[in-house]
Amino acid sequence: MFQKILVANRGAIARRVIRSLRQMGIRSVAVYSEADKDLPYLAEADETYAIGAAAPLESYLNQDLLLQVIKESGADGVHPGYGFLSENATFAARVNASGARFIGPSPEWIEAMGHKTRARETMARYGMPMSPSSGLLDEDWTATLAAAEKIGFPVLVKPAAGGGGIGMLAAHSAEELQNAVTQARSMAGRSFGSAEIYLEKLMVQPRHIEFQILADRHGNACHLFERDCSIQRRHQKVIEESPAPRLPRTDVEAMGDRIVQAMEASGYDVIGTAETLRDRDGLFSFLEMNTRLQVEHAVTEEITGIDLVAAQIRLAGGARLNEVIPSQPQINGHAIEVRIYAEDPVRFYPSPGTLKTLRLPSGPGVRVECGFSEGNRITPYYDPMIAKCIVHAPDRAQAIAGMRAALEATVIEGVKTNIPFAQKVLADATFASGEVHTGLGMQILGQ
């Protein structure tokens, strides 16, 4: 078991990991940039280290500085959280080479799944269903158009690296495709350092269903059910829930079992999330594998009672799956999460500023993960998420009602937030019916 773990992240996820470390009796090491020196997670860690200026490249993405902290602190493990270096195979390999252990999948798996076209090729070999797609596109417009016509319009232009919906653009015609390819290359290059893109069939009103995977280093894997992440704004998740509403359990369980079989056959390890789309005919299609803890992991924790952070740490340390979780995990009730962002609720532009008032909800069934305290500043340097609110209830209707009450009780002043958008979705009759799809959020907003 680990003795001391460096949390190579910030804010809410750093705070979340530190909480599990304390419960496990493992000492925690926190790092912070100049912009984060007043955030509350620092007071909750056993040790803290300043790692540079506010810009991520000079702090949380600076591998040399983080490796130096590993050496100075004597940490024998590194938890990367999500974002930043959590899916960076080079960093994972360097951590392991330093004598510490990267708390995530093996670097080989991070590398294999970090590139979307290679990930699709890998998972196709293990029987995962795939929607039609192209290989990597070169600069030959004739070949690009031919690939799109072979797939059939509409298509989605997607960066091969990165995530979070950045650079994903729809094209319904050849003219739209040419513009989308140019824009997607530019966005991908700026955001991920790679301008590689490919095409994928654009499904009409699909469901975004993802499966939480745990696996040990001894060939065993399992899924902890699914999360429905269909409520999005511009391809980025805003509301997640589990179990997925109005889906046959037999269909969902069959897909989950299929993914587990692929994970065991391939030798995948520690933690991951298999993301899929489900079309209106009920067919699943593999999208990608996220080789890290997800932002929305708390939804699964609430319905299963399993601490995913603790499980991830123990599996990375070599524990067997049956030592970490119950042999037959069960779904208990329903959980919904809303991501609360400092952003304009209509145009979704970031809204940095000082949190002059920060009153978050509490009560039975309500859980809040927040990286800030009143008076802290939401800076333009990082993701503008303020908090995640999770509500667990006996059924979906009660979870929705509880979330509506929780958001009504939330008071945030000093920045704009997306709470009005979330409230519109939660009050919508189509959402309440469970007939959700990836375009519903923007449809409710009238966009």
Side-chain angles (χ1 to χ4, degrees):
M1 178 58 75
F2 296 98
Q3 301 300 311
K4 183 187 291 188
I5 289 177
L6 164 65
V7 184
N9 217 296
R10 63 181 293 278
I13 185 56
R15 201 172 191 182
R16 168 69 187 88
V17 174
I18 289 168
R19 184 169 76 242
S20 281
L21 292 177
R22 184 182 302 112
Q23 293 168 350
M24 298 173 76
I26 300 172
R27 290 183 61 80
S28 59
V29 180
V31 293
Y32 63 96
S33 71
E34 178 63 26
D36 287 342
K37 61 184 179 182
D38 298 323
L39 294 192
Y41 74 95
L42 298 173
E44 297 166 2
D46 293 303
E47 299 176 32
T48 61
Y49 290 79
I51 54 168
L57 285 173
E58 299 179 45
S59 51
Y60 302 107
L61 291 175
N62 189 320
Q63 296 187 29
D64 291 338
L65 279 176
L66 291 169
L67 287 162
Q68 184 62 35
V69 173
I70 295 172
K71 182 178 180 180
E72 291 182 13
S73 67
D76 56 355
V78 175
H79 196 297
Y82 43 68
F84 293 131
L85 295 170
S86 63
E87 295 180 283
N88 187 298
T90 300
F91 180 64
R94 292 183 71 186
V95 169
N96 291 343
S98 76
R101 175 65 64 87
F102 183 81
I103 299 174
S106 300
E108 296 78 13
W109 275 115
I110 299 174
E111 177 70 25
M113 293 299 171
H115 192 282
K116 291 187 176 64
T117 56
R118 288 200 294 269
R120 288 170 62 86
E121 292 166 1
T122 298
M123 296 310 293
R125 290 200 297 270
Y126 292 98
M128 283 294 95
M130 302 283 170
S131 62
S133 66
S134 72
L136 293 177
L137 302 177
D138 57 26
E139 300 290 343
D140 184 341
W141 164 244
T142 301
T144 296
L145 180 58
E149 290 175 338
K150 182 179 179 180
I151 294 169
F153 286 103
V155 297
L156 194 61
V157 185
K158 301 180 69 172
I166 298 170
M168 289 171 50
L169 298 171
H172 295 78
S173 66
E175 183 180 2
E176 288 186 8
L177 178 64
Q178 196 157 24
N179 292 332
V181 165
T182 300
Q183 291 181 51
R185 284 194 193 281
S186 176
M187 294 171 70
R190 291 197 310 270
S191 300
F192 310 125
S194 169
E196 292 181 323
I197 59 173
Y198 70 103
L199 303 180
E200 191 175 281
K201 180 65 178 177
L202 178 62
M203 291 187 187
V204 178
Q205 296 186 342
R207 299 277 292 271
H208 188 131
I209 308 294
E210 63 184 27
F211 293 82
Q212 177 66 63
I213 302 299
L214 292 179
D216 61 25
R217 300 190 190 277
H218 309 280
N220 306 298
C222 75
H223 74 83
L224 294 179
F225 313 108
E226 80 285 359
R227 295 184 289 258
D228 192 316
C229 306
S230 298
I231 301 301
Q232 304 176 3
R233 49 97 165 103
R234 297 176 182 170
H235 303 298
Q236 292 185 313
K237 304 166 189 173
V238 180
I239 298 177
E240 302 100 352
E241 60 182 307
S242 187
R246 294 182 67 88
L247 289 187
R249 291 307 308 165
T250 52
D251 290 1
V252 177
E253 290 288 344
M255 185 61 190
D257 291 344
R258 192 170 180 179
I259 293 169
V260 168
Q261 290 169 9
M263 296 295 99
E264 290 186 334
S266 64
Y268 188 88
D269 59 359
V270 184
I271 195 167
T273 297
E275 303 213 8
T276 74
L277 290 181
R278 187 178 190 271
D279 68 18
R280 290 184 293 187
D281 295 325
L283 300 176
F284 285 94
S285 175
F286 176 82
L287 274 180
E288 62 182 337
M289 188 79 182
N290 289 318
T291 56
R292 55 170 168 78
L293 190 72
Q294 294 281 90
V295 174
E296 59 272 19
H297 71 275
V299 171
T300 298
E301 291 184 326
E302 289 299 313
I303 65 161
T304 63
I306 294 171
D307 182 333
L308 289 178
V309 174
Q312 178 183 4
I313 291 168
R314 294 184 65 194
L315 290 169
R320 292 182 177 273
L321 195 60
N322 61 7
E323 299 170 334
V324 173
I325 65 169
S327 58
Q328 295 292 330
Q330 301 293 320
I331 295 175
N332 173 28
H334 196 94
I336 295 180
E337 174 180 287
V338 169
R339 303 187 189 191
I340 301 175
Y341 286 99
E343 65 182 16
D344 180 282
V346 176
R347 295 178 297 171
F348 305 114
Y349 295 150
S351 175
T354 299
L355 294 169
K356 296 178 181 178
T357 303
L358 180 62
R359 292 205 296 271
L360 299 171
S362 62
V366 178
R367 168 178 169 181
V368 175
E369 302 282 353
C370 181
F372 301 95
S373 295
E374 195 168 271
N376 288 154
R377 179 171 173 76
I378 307 294
T379 73
Y381 300 106
Y382 316 116
D383 182 271
M385 189 168 67
I386 301 170
K388 300 178 295 177
C389 182
I390 307 98
V391 172
H392 181 225
D395 58 42
R396 186 171 188 263
Q398 292 180 71
I400 292 173
M403 182 62 77
R404 293 180 68 180
L407 294 182
E408 187 65 32
T410 302
V411 181
I412 299 175
E413 296 175 340
V415 298
K416 296 178 181 179
T417 78
N418 68 327
I419 288 177
F421 168 59
Q423 289 173 319
K424 283 185 178 180
V425 172
L426 293 164
D428 182 79
T430 301
F431 176 79
S433 75
E435 295 289 349
V436 297
H437 56 81
T438 56
L440 182 60
M442 301 305 287
Q443 180 180 306
I444 290 170
L445 198 62
Q447 296 186 16

